[in-house]
Amino acid sequence: MINKIAMARSAVVIDPEYLKHDPGRGHPERAQRIKVLLDLAAELGAAFARIEPRAATHEEIEMCHVREYIELVRSTSETNGFALDGDTVTSRDSFGVGLLATGGFLRLLDAIAAGEADNGFALVRPPGHHALPDRAMGFCLFNTAAIGAQYVRRRYGAERVLIMDWDVHHGNGTQELFYRDSSVLYMSTHQYPFYPGTGAAEEIGASEGEGFTVNVPLPAGCGDEEYLRVFRDVIVPIADKYRPEWVLVSAGFDPHRRDPLAGMNVSESGFAAIADMLVRLAESHAGGRIALLLEGGYDLKALKESVAAVLRSLRDRQLGDAPAPGGAAIEPLVRHILRVQEKYWSL
Ligand SMILES: [Zn+2]
């Protein structure tokens, strides 16, 4: 049954400035990713409010990164082709674009908190979820999702923030930042074993944060049915128990079947169905507050079409029952994760 409530006022953060970070010729995390999303934003016109980004302040970046690291990234603005890590390379504009990526997400959070938008999607680059407190990693400079979670805690007093990370890679940076922290629930679906190597089901957090990290390591080849099963049977039931006040999403589109870097088979409508479930979750617990942030996704056509499908989910709020998934092949994995998590969530 579909309970269609009023369309949401959904906002998009995007800006041509995001084209300026240049990690070098042939790099998959390239400016064209934003170019196709600027085209999409133009096609969508007035259907989505457009929010101008701002640069994050150093104090905001310092909520998740050490000062020496921020200084190191700043120092790269004097040169092109500075390799912070084997595959994380900066150009003169990268530091500024990195601040604008994080600040763009914070602007979206402010717009939602102020009621100027119901929900939204920050279409920014570079991505952030591999970035560690003291170093760059995996195309990522600053951990925007993690900084966003700290921001809503400090600025808006949030006590329970969910970060859902559906990028095909495990968000090791985000996990690390909140591993001992119960005020942020980090949940990730990712290909495993795969880059960056972390994200086993048994990584569940430690000390105060024990039970507040939920990893769903999926074998290569999973598609819509397997993802929907995981969201229906693991992600949503745990999130329902947690009752997040904010839902932040590290939205990578590299689980798409066309993606050149990974081996999953998710379709545009699969991403839309996942987004529907998260919108419903936010409506149930978080006053509808859900903010998505672009992480990976390296096939331009898949990226544009998937973002378009997810934006429709945000705006149209089709709050019906979740689609019945297949995905029986991963039933043993689902049972294993529920066994690992049940003592924390009485599932
Ligand atoms: Zn990724």
Side-chain angles (χ1 to χ4, degrees), residues 129-130 167-169 252 254 295-298:
H129 71 154
H130 297 305
D167 188 279
V168 80
H169 303 97
D254 39 14
E295 298 279 3
Y298 304 100

Side-chain angles (χ1 to χ4, degrees), residues 149-161 245-246:
Q150 292 289 36
Y151 187 77
V152 295
R153 289 168 75 183
R154 295 192 191 180
R155 187 171 179 106
Y156 299 113
E159 293 176 351
R160 293 182 309 281
V161 182
E245 296 162 279
W246 284 80

Side-chain angles (χ1 to χ4, degrees), residues 1 51 89 232 272 318 343-344 346:
M1 191 178 84
I51 294 176
V89 180
R232 188 195 66 174
Q318 304 269 343
K343 75 174 182 183
Y344 307 109
S346 53

Side-chain angles (χ1 to χ4, degrees), residues 121-151:
F121 201 156
L123 300 169
V124 303
R125 66 184 281 272
H129 71 154
H130 297 305
L132 292 157
D134 59 354
R135 69 183 173 99
M137 189 172 164
F139 315 166
C140 300
L141 297 180
F142 302 128
N143 198 316
T144 296
I147 294 166
Q150 292 289 36
Y151 187 77

Side-chain angles (χ1 to χ4, degrees), residues 217-236:
L218 294 164
C222 287
D224 295 354
E225 294 193 340
E226 289 78 17
Y227 271 80
L228 289 174
R229 175 163 293 262
V230 164
F231 273 79
R232 188 195 66 174
D233 292 350
V234 179
I235 302 295
V236 170

